[in-house]
Amino acid sequence: MEASSKQIDNPVGFWRRLGASLLDALIIGVPLAIILYLINLNSQNNLVSNVVTTLYSVLLPAFWSGYTVGKRIVGIRIVKVNGEEVGLGTMLLRVIVGMSLIYGITLGIAAIVSAFMVVFREDKRAIHDLIAGTYVTSNRP
């Protein structure tokens, strides 16, 4: 059942979501890249990095009330439109189907459309949010 934007409390816009993603990249991505470089996996670096990043994006919010490290720092989190916390199935839909599959199939065009959706939609939901029945909310009123 699709929720109207009136049922969604404190939706978060583009800049805070981007800030959280950049913090995740700095806090998780940079150390991961350094570790992979030091253990010299060469041709496997990209695959290992993608797997670890995907696991981080799926598992951490599923087991930490919708937060990643970056989201926690900026005071936002992922929740289901009915107000419940996200679980493993929801995060798999959001990350694997919504982000990886749809954005990959469209060669990134859907990611650009999603950015515009977050900017212009009243409920601030992107394509991956619509697929998974989620939205990003602020802890701050």
PDB file of all heavy atoms in Angstrom, residues 13-14 112-125:
ATOM      1  N   GLY A  13      15.821  15.874   2.484  1.00  0.00           N
ATOM      2  CA  GLY A  13      16.111  16.249   1.118  1.00  0.00           C
ATOM      3  C   GLY A  13      17.489  15.821   0.633  1.00  0.00           C
ATOM      4  O   GLY A  13      18.223  15.084   1.290  1.00  0.00           O
ATOM      5  N   PHE A  14      17.821  16.340  -0.514  1.00  0.00           N
ATOM      6  CA  PHE A  14      19.006  15.938  -1.257  1.00  0.00           C
ATOM      7  C   PHE A  14      20.328  16.170  -0.511  1.00  0.00           C
ATOM      8  O   PHE A  14      21.169  15.284  -0.436  1.00  0.00           O
ATOM      9  CB  PHE A  14      19.039  16.679  -2.603  1.00  0.00           C
ATOM     10  CG  PHE A  14      20.237  16.371  -3.441  1.00  0.00           C
ATOM     11  CD1 PHE A  14      20.301  15.204  -4.176  1.00  0.00           C
ATOM     12  CD2 PHE A  14      21.308  17.249  -3.471  1.00  0.00           C
ATOM     13  CE1 PHE A  14      21.410  14.924  -4.945  1.00  0.00           C
ATOM     14  CE2 PHE A  14      22.428  16.968  -4.244  1.00  0.00           C
ATOM     15  CZ  PHE A  14      22.477  15.800  -4.979  1.00  0.00           C
ATOM     16  N   ILE A 112      19.989   9.643 -11.702  1.00  0.00           N
ATOM     17  CA  ILE A 112      19.801  11.081 -11.921  1.00  0.00           C
ATOM     18  C   ILE A 112      18.337  11.457 -11.696  1.00  0.00           C
ATOM     19  O   ILE A 112      18.028  12.450 -11.030  1.00  0.00           O
ATOM     20  CB  ILE A 112      20.273  11.478 -13.332  1.00  0.00           C
ATOM     21  CG1 ILE A 112      21.783  11.257 -13.449  1.00  0.00           C
ATOM     22  CG2 ILE A 112      19.899  12.923 -13.661  1.00  0.00           C
ATOM     23  CD1 ILE A 112      22.319  11.301 -14.855  1.00  0.00           C
ATOM     24  N   VAL A 113      17.434  10.624 -12.221  1.00  0.00           N
ATOM     25  CA  VAL A 113      16.001  10.852 -12.010  1.00  0.00           C
ATOM     26  C   VAL A 113      15.693  10.819 -10.512  1.00  0.00           C
ATOM     27  O   VAL A 113      14.941  11.650  -9.998  1.00  0.00           O
ATOM     28  CB  VAL A 113      15.154   9.814 -12.784  1.00  0.00           C
ATOM     29  CG1 VAL A 113      13.691   9.883 -12.385  1.00  0.00           C
ATOM     30  CG2 VAL A 113      15.325  10.002 -14.285  1.00  0.00           C
ATOM     31  N   SER A 114      16.295   9.869  -9.792  1.00  0.00           N
ATOM     32  CA  SER A 114      16.082   9.761  -8.342  1.00  0.00           C
ATOM     33  C   SER A 114      16.529  11.019  -7.610  1.00  0.00           C
ATOM     34  O   SER A 114      15.865  11.473  -6.673  1.00  0.00           O
ATOM     35  CB  SER A 114      16.817   8.548  -7.779  1.00  0.00           C
ATOM     36  OG  SER A 114      16.083   7.383  -8.015  1.00  0.00           O
ATOM     37  N   ALA A 115      17.659  11.576  -8.022  1.00  0.00           N
ATOM     38  CA  ALA A 115      18.145  12.807  -7.387  1.00  0.00           C
ATOM     39  C   ALA A 115      17.124  13.929  -7.569  1.00  0.00           C
ATOM     40  O   ALA A 115      16.827  14.659  -6.617  1.00  0.00           O
ATOM     41  CB  ALA A 115      19.496  13.209  -7.968  1.00  0.00           C
ATOM     42  N   PHE A 116      16.567  14.040  -8.762  1.00  0.00           N
ATOM     43  CA  PHE A 116      15.544  15.056  -9.000  1.00  0.00           C
ATOM     44  C   PHE A 116      14.275  14.769  -8.192  1.00  0.00           C
ATOM     45  O   PHE A 116      13.619  15.690  -7.708  1.00  0.00           O
ATOM     46  CB  PHE A 116      15.219  15.180 -10.492  1.00  0.00           C
ATOM     47  CG  PHE A 116      16.215  15.998 -11.249  1.00  0.00           C
ATOM     48  CD1 PHE A 116      17.208  15.398 -12.001  1.00  0.00           C
ATOM     49  CD2 PHE A 116      16.176  17.389 -11.193  1.00  0.00           C
ATOM     50  CE1 PHE A 116      18.140  16.153 -12.689  1.00  0.00           C
ATOM     51  CE2 PHE A 116      17.093  18.160 -11.881  1.00  0.00           C
ATOM     52  CZ  PHE A 116      18.083  17.542 -12.633  1.00  0.00           C
ATOM     53  N   MET A 117      13.938  13.492  -8.035  1.00  0.00           N
ATOM     54  CA  MET A 117      12.771  13.123  -7.237  1.00  0.00           C
ATOM     55  C   MET A 117      12.954  13.573  -5.784  1.00  0.00           C
ATOM     56  O   MET A 117      12.025  14.096  -5.174  1.00  0.00           O
ATOM     57  CB  MET A 117      12.534  11.614  -7.297  1.00  0.00           C
ATOM     58  CG  MET A 117      12.035  11.142  -8.649  1.00  0.00           C
ATOM     59  SD  MET A 117      12.012   9.340  -8.812  1.00  0.00           S
ATOM     60  CE  MET A 117      10.755   8.901  -7.618  1.00  0.00           C
ATOM     61  N   VAL A 118      14.143  13.366  -5.243  1.00  0.00           N
ATOM     62  CA  VAL A 118      14.410  13.762  -3.858  1.00  0.00           C
ATOM     63  C   VAL A 118      14.339  15.289  -3.718  1.00  0.00           C
ATOM     64  O   VAL A 118      13.863  15.796  -2.716  1.00  0.00           O
ATOM     65  CB  VAL A 118      15.773  13.215  -3.376  1.00  0.00           C
ATOM     66  CG1 VAL A 118      16.167  13.799  -2.034  1.00  0.00           C
ATOM     67  CG2 VAL A 118      15.743  11.694  -3.317  1.00  0.00           C
ATOM     68  N   VAL A 119      14.757  15.990  -4.736  1.00  0.00           N
ATOM     69  CA  VAL A 119      14.709  17.459  -4.692  1.00  0.00           C
ATOM     70  C   VAL A 119      13.274  17.971  -4.825  1.00  0.00           C
ATOM     71  O   VAL A 119      12.852  18.845  -4.061  1.00  0.00           O
ATOM     72  CB  VAL A 119      15.593  18.072  -5.806  1.00  0.00           C
ATOM     73  CG1 VAL A 119      15.358  19.575  -5.927  1.00  0.00           C
ATOM     74  CG2 VAL A 119      17.061  17.779  -5.553  1.00  0.00           C
ATOM     75  N   PHE A 120      12.501  17.418  -5.755  1.00  0.00           N
ATOM     76  CA  PHE A 120      11.222  18.028  -6.097  1.00  0.00           C
ATOM     77  C   PHE A 120       9.976  17.352  -5.509  1.00  0.00           C
ATOM     78  O   PHE A 120       8.943  18.010  -5.390  1.00  0.00           O
ATOM     79  CB  PHE A 120      11.070  18.109  -7.620  1.00  0.00           C
ATOM     80  CG  PHE A 120      12.046  19.055  -8.248  1.00  0.00           C
ATOM     81  CD1 PHE A 120      13.067  18.588  -9.055  1.00  0.00           C
ATOM     82  CD2 PHE A 120      11.970  20.425  -8.007  1.00  0.00           C
ATOM     83  CE1 PHE A 120      13.984  19.455  -9.629  1.00  0.00           C
ATOM     84  CE2 PHE A 120      12.877  21.302  -8.576  1.00  0.00           C
ATOM     85  CZ  PHE A 120      13.883  20.815  -9.389  1.00  0.00           C
ATOM     86  N   ARG A 121      10.037  16.099  -5.147  1.00  0.00           N
ATOM     87  CA  ARG A 121       8.860  15.447  -4.566  1.00  0.00           C
ATOM     88  C   ARG A 121       8.648  15.937  -3.135  1.00  0.00           C
ATOM     89  O   ARG A 121       9.608  16.104  -2.380  1.00  0.00           O
ATOM     90  CB  ARG A 121       9.033  13.923  -4.542  1.00  0.00           C
ATOM     91  CG  ARG A 121       8.811  13.249  -5.872  1.00  0.00           C
ATOM     92  CD  ARG A 121       9.041  11.753  -5.740  1.00  0.00           C
ATOM     93  NE  ARG A 121       8.139  11.130  -4.789  1.00  0.00           N
ATOM     94  CZ  ARG A 121       7.134  10.330  -5.136  1.00  0.00           C
ATOM     95  NH1 ARG A 121       6.902  10.061  -6.396  1.00  0.00           N
ATOM     96  NH2 ARG A 121       6.368   9.796  -4.199  1.00  0.00           N
ATOM     97  N   GLU A 122       7.419  16.107  -2.758  1.00  0.00           N
ATOM     98  CA  GLU A 122       7.113  16.556  -1.396  1.00  0.00           C
ATOM     99  C   GLU A 122       7.577  15.540  -0.355  1.00  0.00           C
ATOM    100  O   GLU A 122       8.067  15.912   0.715  1.00  0.00           O
ATOM    101  CB  GLU A 122       5.607  16.797  -1.266  1.00  0.00           C
ATOM    102  CG  GLU A 122       5.215  17.436   0.043  1.00  0.00           C
ATOM    103  CD  GLU A 122       3.729  17.732   0.108  1.00  0.00           C
ATOM    104  OE1 GLU A 122       3.093  17.899  -0.946  1.00  0.00           O
ATOM    105  OE2 GLU A 122       3.218  17.797   1.235  1.00  0.00           O
ATOM    106  N   ASP A 123       7.461  14.247  -0.676  1.00  0.00           N
ATOM    107  CA  ASP A 123       7.860  13.206   0.277  1.00  0.00           C
ATOM    108  C   ASP A 123       9.339  12.841   0.183  1.00  0.00           C
ATOM    109  O   ASP A 123       9.831  12.034   0.959  1.00  0.00           O
ATOM    110  CB  ASP A 123       6.995  11.953   0.126  1.00  0.00           C
ATOM    111  CG  ASP A 123       7.135  11.266  -1.228  1.00  0.00           C
ATOM    112  OD1 ASP A 123       7.969  11.695  -2.059  1.00  0.00           O
ATOM    113  OD2 ASP A 123       6.400  10.294  -1.446  1.00  0.00           O
ATOM    114  N   LYS A 124      10.067  13.442  -0.768  1.00  0.00           N
ATOM    115  CA  LYS A 124      11.526  13.289  -0.910  1.00  0.00           C
ATOM    116  C   LYS A 124      11.953  11.834  -1.154  1.00  0.00           C
ATOM    117  O   LYS A 124      13.058  11.446  -0.810  1.00  0.00           O
ATOM    118  CB  LYS A 124      12.269  13.833   0.319  1.00  0.00           C
ATOM    119  CG  LYS A 124      11.911  15.253   0.693  1.00  0.00           C
ATOM    120  CD  LYS A 124      12.296  16.213  -0.389  1.00  0.00           C
ATOM    121  CE  LYS A 124      11.992  17.649   0.003  1.00  0.00           C
ATOM    122  NZ  LYS A 124      12.011  18.520  -1.138  1.00  0.00           N
ATOM    123  N   ARG A 125      11.090  11.020  -1.775  1.00  0.00           N
ATOM    124  CA  ARG A 125      11.414   9.614  -2.017  1.00  0.00           C
ATOM    125  C   ARG A 125      12.000   9.422  -3.410  1.00  0.00           C
ATOM    126  O   ARG A 125      11.505   9.962  -4.384  1.00  0.00           O
ATOM    127  CB  ARG A 125      10.167   8.752  -1.850  1.00  0.00           C
ATOM    128  CG  ARG A 125       9.686   8.756  -0.408  1.00  0.00           C
ATOM    129  CD  ARG A 125       8.377   8.046  -0.237  1.00  0.00           C
ATOM    130  NE  ARG A 125       8.561   6.610  -0.411  1.00  0.00           N
ATOM    131  CZ  ARG A 125       7.568   5.784  -0.716  1.00  0.00           C
ATOM    132  NH1 ARG A 125       6.343   6.235  -0.903  1.00  0.00           N
ATOM    133  NH2 ARG A 125       7.809   4.493  -0.836  1.00  0.00           N
TER     134      ARG A 125
END
